[in-house]
Amino acid sequence: MILETAYRWRVALMAIGVGGLATVLRFANLGSPQALVFDEVFYARGAYSLLTLGFEGEWEGEDQAFASGDFSGLTDEGDYVVHPMIGKLLIAVGIQIFGPTPFGWRFMGALLGVVTVVMVAFIARHLLRSTLWGGVAGLLLAVDGEHIVLSRTALLDIFLTFFVVAGFGLLLVDRARTRELLSRADADLTGLGPRTGVRWWRLAAIVTFGLAVSVKWSGLWFAAAFLVLSVIWDWADRRAVGAERWFAGGLVRAVPAFLATLVLLPLTYLASWIPWFRSDGGYGRHWAETHPDEGATWLPDGLNSLLHYHQTAYQFHRTLDSPHNYESNPWLWPLQYRPTAFYFQDVPDADCGAERCVSAIHAVGHPLIWWAAAIVLVYALWRIVARRDLLALTVTVGVLAAWVPWLPYAHRTIFTFYTVAMAPFLVIMLAWGLKRLAQPERLRGSWWPPGAIAVAVFLGAVLVVAGFFAPVWIGDPIPFRYWQLHMWLPTWV
């Protein structure tokens, strides 16, 4: 009776299980450390400035004064920032609710981090057609260190991750609705094939990708990759129902989506700059007025000023090559070869059972998850090339979109924590690989005992290692010697 009830409620139990675990790991002691961790110095203070001034102002004095409640360093001079403001506006929501405290400026990242875990579980459930394997994907993301650390830190990348996962999920809903229309018995399969009408879910996905770009420009790579993937889905689905001219039909139907992207994505992005347009003191807000004969003079002054601002920001990103202790080569990102240390402090007053206690936060992905996924990635690429496996392509595109565009910029100052946007798609791909091991294609869904045992052992090891690494993801005081035991590679120190 209990098993029957659990089976009936399996989807809800799966969502509650992975969501509950994600909540514990992202909200436990969220207000600690009582300091600006890593780049929170830019984004938490920027969010507070948006609430206070309506734009991002420059700060004077000691950086950590903000963390102790001293906000006197905020000036009314516009600060030169090189990222859009949606992420900072979301951080500001938490500050508005809970005040300018560490918990306040980290709240929205933790909340959307938990939501992302649940979304990934449902996306994987849909793709793999299994609540069990959807739960596996959600579990893997719930205990991944890269995602835990970025969810607990007021940086922008967790918001980028949320929006690209949401956009991908909306495209999957669009595909499911479109396949339903294509499969109707009375569908016209001649000529260019059936019409599908206005695809509102795809339009919603485009707007969501616009929000991702409004957090960080790298959202454009995800938008391009996933929207192209949606066209490939259309071709496959039209061919599957026997449409006579499936390729031309899918291509023609892609034209409205392309035009909608050219309109909706820029409009969404521009809307994210409304606080800057409404301000009088935002950096560069009146550049066009003070340079009347420069720039795109055919544009209104506000847009001309914004365009010039973006040109200088792009130049900053393109030429950023200042040496940094934790800069990393993107070719090695899937191996988490050079993770980013966000925080490290001796805690002399802590009772950790040792002479020297430290609090450390390392944005390092769960090593077993990332190293196993690197193997699955090679296998998935082989499946795509050798077998034209559409599911392998679907579970891999997000990983490639988060990784490949960075490879030409290996000379720049970039960091491994950018891979947090890769993590949701990495665990979906890994869950796909584990399913193929436990339920091989040749057995048509039946379990292969050796593979199932191997997967069970792997997942058990993942949980054990997650428990071991949790203190250096959360920043709990631990003995210095215990911290050293977590430095598995020399490049992690």
Side-chain angles (χ1 to χ4, degrees), residues 38-308:
F38 199 59
D39 280 353
E40 285 186 338
V41 67
F42 303 115
Y43 306 124
R45 296 197 305 179
Y48 177 83
S49 178
L50 284 169
L51 282 175
T52 306
L53 302 176
F55 61 91
E56 293 176 76
E58 285 190 358
W59 289 80
E60 296 177 346
E62 205 273 322
D63 289 346
Q64 291 294 338
F66 179 85
S68 61
D70 180 1
F71 313 121
S72 61
L74 178 60
T75 73
D76 59 3
E77 289 292 322
D79 189 20
Y80 177 58
V81 295
V82 293
H83 291 298
M85 62 182 69
I86 284 293
K88 286 161 279 188
L89 288 171
L90 287 169
I91 294 171
V93 172
I95 294 176
Q96 181 70 37
I97 298 172
F98 298 104
T101 64
F103 183 87
W105 66 67
R106 295 169 189 155
F107 172 78
M108 285 302 295
L111 176 63
L112 295 185
V114 172
V115 174
T116 301
V117 170
V118 177
M119 284 196 300
V120 163
F122 277 100
I123 288 171
R125 176 179 182 267
H126 173 80
L127 290 174
L128 304 179
R129 300 180 180 181
S130 166
T131 301
L132 172 63
W133 293 108
V136 168
L139 171 69
L140 293 173
L141 187 60
V143 300
D144 175 59
E146 202 73 72
H147 197 265
I148 291 170
V149 171
L150 271 296
S151 296
R152 297 175 56 88
T153 314
L155 270 63
L156 303 182
D157 300 79
I158 197 64
F159 304 111
L160 168 68
T161 304
F162 167 77
F163 284 120
V164 296
V165 171
F168 180 59
L170 289 169
L171 286 179
L172 286 172
V173 175
D174 169 72
R175 185 190 185 192
R177 299 293 291 269
T178 304
R179 291 174 79 173
E180 182 181 345
L181 291 172
L182 292 174
S183 63
R184 287 179 179 172
D186 59 349
D188 180 10
L189 301 180
T190 62
L192 295 178
R195 295 180 179 274
T196 52
V198 179
R199 296 170 64 167
W200 297 106
W201 291 102
R202 180 186 267 179
L203 296 179
I206 293 169
V207 172
T208 304
F209 288 130
L211 291 171
V213 178
S214 302
V215 176
K216 292 185 85 169
W217 292 349
S218 52
L220 277 171
W221 300 331
F222 292 96
F226 287 135
L227 290 172
V228 169
L229 178 63
S230 73
V231 177
I232 296 173
W233 288 341
D234 276 359
W235 284 332
D237 296 338
R238 287 175 178 275
R239 186 178 184 182
V241 299
E244 186 177 90
R245 298 175 62 190
W246 56 269
F247 184 85
L251 192 61
V252 168
R253 303 294 189 267
V255 172
F258 176 72
L259 296 176
T261 302
L262 293 181
V263 174
L264 290 176
L265 199 149
L267 283 179
T268 303
Y269 183 80
L270 276 176
S272 74
W273 284 86
I274 287 175
W276 184 84
F277 282 114
R278 294 179 60 186
S279 75
D280 191 53
Y283 183 87
R285 176 64 184 85
H286 298 291
W287 178 86
E289 297 168 28
T290 57
H291 300 77
D293 298 322
E294 298 181 38
T297 55
W298 51 274
L299 285 174
D301 284 348
L303 289 176
N304 190 14
S305 297
L306 185 64
L307 177 62
H308 178 263

Side-chain angles (χ1 to χ4, degrees), residues 306-317:
L306 185 64
L307 177 62
H308 178 263
Y309 191 160
H310 279 63
Q311 289 170 337
T312 61
Y314 173 75
Q315 184 67 11
F316 170 85
H317 287 300

